[in-house]
Amino acid sequence: KSTKNIINEDNCKYLKKGSFLINVSRAPLISEKALEYLTDNNIISGIGNDVFKYEPTDGTEEILKYKNSVFTP
C-alpha cells in the first residue's frame, strides 16, 4: 500500500517533458489522474505498460485510450 499512486499529480511535474513512462511492476503505482494530466498536457511522449488494474484486462480500461502507447497482455 505504501507505493500506491507513488507517481501522482504532485510529483509528476518532475518528469522530463517528452519522456516515456514505463510501468512493468504494478498498475496502482501510477495515479490515473496523473496519467491523464501527463498525456493530456503532452508532458510525456507515451506509455509502456504491461500491468493493468484488473487482470486479465477486458479491453475497457481507461488507460487503453491513450495514443502513443504500447500495452502488452
Side-chain angles (χ1 to χ4, degrees):
K1 283 199 163 199
S2 65
T3 58
K4 184 176 182 180
N5 294 333
I6 198 166
I7 298 176
N8 57 48
E9 303 83 62
D10 294 330
N11 62 25
C12 67
K13 61 186 170 204
Y14 298 110
L15 290 172
K16 182 178 178 182
K17 185 169 177 70
S19 61
F20 286 83
L21 185 58
I22 299 172
N23 185 3
V24 295
S25 183
R26 291 188 314 113
L29 289 176
I30 304 170
S31 157
E32 291 181 11
K33 287 183 181 180
L35 195 56
E36 184 175 352
Y37 171 80
L38 291 167
T39 54
D40 289 351
N41 292 289
N42 296 317
I43 295 171
I44 59 174
S45 293
I47 304 163
N49 192 57
D50 80 341
V51 291
F52 297 94
K53 185 186 268 186
Y54 305 105
E55 293 194 18
T57 181
D58 63 2
T60 61
E61 291 197 51
E62 191 71 16
I63 192 173
L64 296 171
K65 75 177 185 178
Y66 299 114
K67 297 179 181 177
N68 298 331
S69 301
V70 176
F71 302 98
T72 61

